[in-house]
Amino acid sequence: MSLKVYIPCDAAAVCVGADELVAAFEAQAAQRKLEIEIVRNGSRGLLWLEPMVEVATPNGRVAFGPVEDKDVASVLDAMIADGPHDLRLGIADDITWLKKQTRLTFVRCGIVDPRPVEDYVAHDGYKGLTRALSMDSAGIVADVTTSGLRGRGGAGFPTGIKWKTVADAQADRKFIVCNADEGDSGTFADRMIMEGDPFVVIEGMTIAGIAVGATKGYIYIRSEYPHAIIAMEEGIKAAKRAGWLGDNIKGSGRAFDLEVRVGAGAYVCGEETSLLESLEGRRGIVRAKPPLPAHKGLFGKPTVINNVLSFAAIPFILDNGAKAYADYGMGRSRGTMPIQLAGNVKFGGLFEVAFGITLGELVDDIAGGTFTGKPVRAVQVGGPLGAYFPPSMFDTPFDYEAFAKRDGLIGHGGITIFDDSVDMSKMARFAMEFCAVESCGKCTPCRIGSTRGVETIDKIRRGEQVADNLLVLQDLSNTMKFGSLCALGGFTPYPVMSALKHFPEDFGPVPQVQAAE
Amino acid sequence: MNAAYEPWSAARCTEIIGAYAHVEGGVIVVLHAIQHAFGYVPEPAIPMIAEARNLSRAEVHGVFTFYHDFRHEPAGKHVLKICRAEACQAAGGDALTARAEQQLGVKLGHTTADDRVTLEPIYCLGLCATAPSAMLDGRIVGRLDEKRMDALLVEAQR
């Protein structure tokens, strides 16, 4: 007999032993003279179950997880016999945590083999681009606008408006740039989709190119993501070989080409103008806006710059229609958001769902609270620049405006969970310290303010003139919020001020450990 | 110095710079390639890049020093990067960082006296649901606890 076994190649699976499992399964199979085909799929996003291994059966793929080296022999027995096993999770598609989701962007992630373009096409890939190739620019842009898609990188700017601006601009060259500088702690959706379904990003960017009249695109990936870099480079090669990229896409006469560029460890390069500077080979210094990148972007030319998840949402919209996407969501937040549950989390992973779900449902029901089993004290939503929310605010719906109303932001959709051992003035200090490390240095509030912020919080923690220094901290935060050029200095006050507002009891003298006599 | 890298050679550097001459705005691409070859960016490479790309030395030096990735001197034989970002902190990363510092006898950002291990902070590997995480010479490791960290430290000190 022959077995088809799926072992994820996603970095989150690899970091807990997926590569070693491949070797172990091959060794076991060889020992038993069993024919085995191992597919390195992406991750389905149930990361507490990684490495989650699946076997193809007539009834669907049966999952086991988390599988360790020592389990390989017994899991293989259970696979062959279709029998019980402690790690057996049943049919993968029927796992409740997956069934509760609305997967539009991540529909193929974890299911397909991310390498061959044929597998992508067999799972409805490139239908969006095929339709786009039969449309005119205005029609494609209108679809994107009607879908209500907003920038998934964090700013939430309507994607259709951005595209229209570039489409209307006159220039000898235009560019498409994909921001894959996913530096926010607690976020990994970009990494997962690039590793698990790279063609959806490539297709989304190609559609953007056709829509606005750009023939060249860049994907700027952070150097901390070596697996994603390889996956995208291989994906681009495969798409070129199959005629989905190049001078004459599938005989349409339209041209579009892509190139991967690797970052060099600067968080600020996730800011779009800083990223453009970096792409041009310069220091990642933020540009003042205007001019907007849509008018003067990469190399001074009109540029569409969007997040990975924004581009990855496009193929669904073009294939299924703008309305199919806009039917999900609430208020002005349309469609779905791939939410990432992270930190001290019991059921951590990627949960794609329509906007409108409450923070409490996500943290308590979906994520199951903390891994340590202690009560949740705070969650940080939206990465290092996002606010800390206490459980009393868990009724906040996941929606751009609802979070803004409560002095928070959904950012890139990451939720980092902390238990009751967290020291919130330490987290506030970290936010300032991180800003100081990563500031590009162009504007004073960010460059100097962050360092003064660290010093001020240190004074508070030492018990020096606490009331006065709290006022200084608030004043400083206001200056940074309103005086900084970009979101790094401008949003660092969110974690700081929210920590202070919701956890004031943590801002005072920290008990010193008594030195030994 | 890590045996995986080539010794400095101006001729080799010229060759690398030439290989990327066609890359528009490619200073960072070239710096990555030079570091990939030599393990760091040797100082003589800076004016060479400037010359080839018709930039000033100051401009290239500015780019080189802006980015955390580029090394000014060779790293230790092994490089251990420990994530310090929020999600890893929430999962107990601080205590593990302190443990690594204590066992190696160096602070983050430094190399052990025997040049075996360079210990560095990294801000997010995107492994935030399998935290705390680290990277040893490009290999990623998640769900670190004391036992797994100790094993990693032993491996790093080989």
Side-chain angles (χ1 to χ4, degrees), chain A residues 15 47 50 173 185-186 188 191 222-223 261 263-265 278-284 342-343 380 417 426 430 433, chain B residues 23-25 27-28 32 62-63 66-69 84-87 89-90 94 123-126 128 140 142-143 148:
Chain A
C15 81
L47 299 182
E50 293 292 357
R173 285 201 296 172
S185 174
F188 43 81
R191 181 186 63 64
R222 58 202 298 266
S223 61
R261 286 288 179 92
S278 187
L279 264 181
E280 291 181 24
R282 285 197 289 272
R283 296 164 70 93
Q380 186 179 29
I417 301 173
K426 188 172 154 231
F430 179 80
E433 183 194 356
Chain B
V23 177
E24 202 172 0
V27 174
I28 293 166
H32 269 308
V63 175
F66 182 85
Y67 295 95
H68 299 307
D69 279 3
R84 281 207 63 217
E86 288 89 342
Q89 287 188 38
D94 282 355
Y123 293 95
C124 200
L125 291 159
C128 318
I140 47 174
R143 277 187 210 137
R148 278 169 69 88

Side-chain angles (χ1 to χ4, degrees), chain A residues 310-430:
Chain A
S310 307
F311 284 122
I314 297 292
F316 175 91
I317 293 167
L318 265 292
D319 179 21
N320 297 277
K323 189 175 174 299
Y325 194 77
D327 278 347
Y328 295 99
M330 72 172 275
R332 288 175 50 223
S333 305
R334 307 314 309 175
T336 58
M337 184 73 194
I339 292 165
Q340 302 122 84
L341 302 164
N344 188 340
V345 58
K346 192 171 181 190
F347 307 129
L350 184 124
F351 195 87
E352 182 176 349
V353 68
F355 284 98
I357 189 170
T358 67
L359 188 54
E361 284 173 81
L362 286 165
V363 175
D364 296 328
D365 305 342
I366 309 297
T370 64
F371 173 75
T372 47
K374 292 180 176 181
V376 174
R377 179 149 186 249
V379 297
Q380 186 179 29
V381 185
L385 308 176
Y388 286 100
F389 278 15
S392 60
M393 292 167 76
F394 279 8
D395 59 336
T396 314
F398 217 81
D399 161 67
Y400 291 100
E401 280 69 37
F403 265 73
K405 217 181 279 173
R406 293 188 163 181
D407 291 326
L409 47 113
I410 64 171
H412 190 47
I415 300 179
T416 302
I417 301 173
F418 293 80
D419 72 12
D420 60 4
S421 66
V422 65
D423 173 348
M424 294 307 296
S425 66
K426 188 172 154 231
M427 299 318 297
R429 184 192 188 279
F430 179 80

Side-chain angles (χ1 to χ4, degrees), chain A residues 261-279:
Chain A
R261 286 288 179 92
V262 180
Y267 175 76
V268 73
C269 289
E271 197 282 332
E272 60 180 12
T273 61
S274 163
L275 188 152
L276 294 173
E277 285 290 304
S278 187
L279 264 181

Side-chain angles (χ1 to χ4, degrees), chain A residues 33-377:
Chain A
K33 300 206 171 18
L34 176 76
E35 252 183 76
I36 187 170
E37 181 197 348
I38 295 179
V39 177
R40 301 303 303 272
N41 55 325
S43 171
R44 295 200 192 229
L46 299 83
L47 299 182
W48 76 98
L49 293 174
E50 293 292 357
M52 188 172 97
V53 178
E54 296 168 44
V55 62
T57 77
N59 302 320
R61 278 154 65 169
V62 175
F64 297 80
V67 180
E68 291 180 46
D69 269 9
K70 63 175 172 57
D71 306 316
V72 170
S74 61
V75 166
L76 204 51
D77 288 340
M79 283 176 171
I80 293 165
D82 199 11
H85 193 283
D86 285 349
L87 300 177
R88 187 181 163 119
L89 303 162
I91 301 288
D93 288 338
D94 294 341
I95 296 173
T96 318
W97 210 81
L98 272 174
K99 291 196 87 159
K100 281 186 188 166
Q101 304 189 36
T102 303
R103 289 210 162 186
L104 307 183
T105 301
F106 277 74
V107 63
R108 277 172 298 266
C109 193
I111 294 170
V112 293
D113 181 341
R115 272 155 291 254
V117 70
E118 296 74 20
D119 218 22
Y120 180 68
V121 172
H123 287 81
D124 295 332
Y126 277 123
K127 281 188 172 175
L129 175 59
T130 303
R131 182 165 161 258
L133 286 170
S134 70
M135 297 164 72
D136 64 1
S137 164
I140 302 171
V141 173
D143 262 14
V144 175
T145 306
T146 314
S147 76
L149 178 67
R150 293 167 70 180
R152 296 285 185 252
F157 187 82
T159 306
I161 295 178
K162 196 182 268 187
W163 286 25
K164 185 170 190 313
T165 310
V166 178
D168 290 346
Q170 297 298 318
D172 57 340
R173 285 201 296 172
K174 297 179 185 178
F175 293 102
I176 307 296
V177 175
C178 177
N179 184 343
D181 195 49
E182 187 183 49
D184 287 358
S185 174
T187 66
F188 43 81
D190 295 353
R191 181 186 63 64
M192 272 186 65
I193 200 80
M194 288 190 285
E195 291 172 5
D197 194 15
F199 296 111
V200 79
V201 182
I202 295 170
E203 184 183 353
M205 291 183 73
T206 310
I207 293 170
I210 304 290
V212 306
T215 54
K216 171 92 190 189
Y218 291 92
I219 308 176
Y220 185 96
I221 309 178
R222 58 202 298 266
S223 61
E224 293 86 345
Y225 281 1
H227 298 79
I229 293 166
I230 293 169
M232 289 310 303
E233 282 176 342
E234 293 298 317
I236 290 169
K237 276 186 213 157
K240 276 184 193 169
R241 277 197 302 270
W244 289 107
L245 282 174
D247 294 336
N248 184 9
I249 298 170
K250 288 289 171 188
S252 66
R254 313 295 286 269
F256 190 69
D257 199 8
L258 272 178
E259 187 179 326
V260 170
R261 286 288 179 92
V262 180
Y267 175 76
V268 73
C269 289
E271 197 282 332
E272 60 180 12
T273 61
S274 163
L275 188 152
L276 294 173
E277 285 290 304
S278 187
L279 264 181
E280 291 181 24
R282 285 197 289 272
R283 296 164 70 93
I285 304 275
V286 172
R287 295 177 186 170
K289 289 190 274 195
L292 296 170
H295 291 123
K296 282 193 170 151
L298 187 63
F299 302 114
K301 304 295 178 186
T303 301
V304 166
I305 175 163
N306 276 134
N307 175 256
V308 174
L309 297 182
S310 307
F311 284 122
I314 297 292
F316 175 91
I317 293 167
L318 265 292
D319 179 21
N320 297 277
K323 189 175 174 299
Y325 194 77
D327 278 347
Y328 295 99
M330 72 172 275
R332 288 175 50 223
S333 305
R334 307 314 309 175
T336 58
M337 184 73 194
I339 292 165
Q340 302 122 84
L341 302 164
N344 188 340
V345 58
K346 192 171 181 190
F347 307 129
L350 184 124
F351 195 87
E352 182 176 349
V353 68
F355 284 98
I357 189 170
T358 67
L359 188 54
E361 284 173 81
L362 286 165
V363 175
D364 296 328
D365 305 342
I366 309 297
T370 64
F371 173 75
T372 47
K374 292 180 176 181
V376 174
R377 179 149 186 249

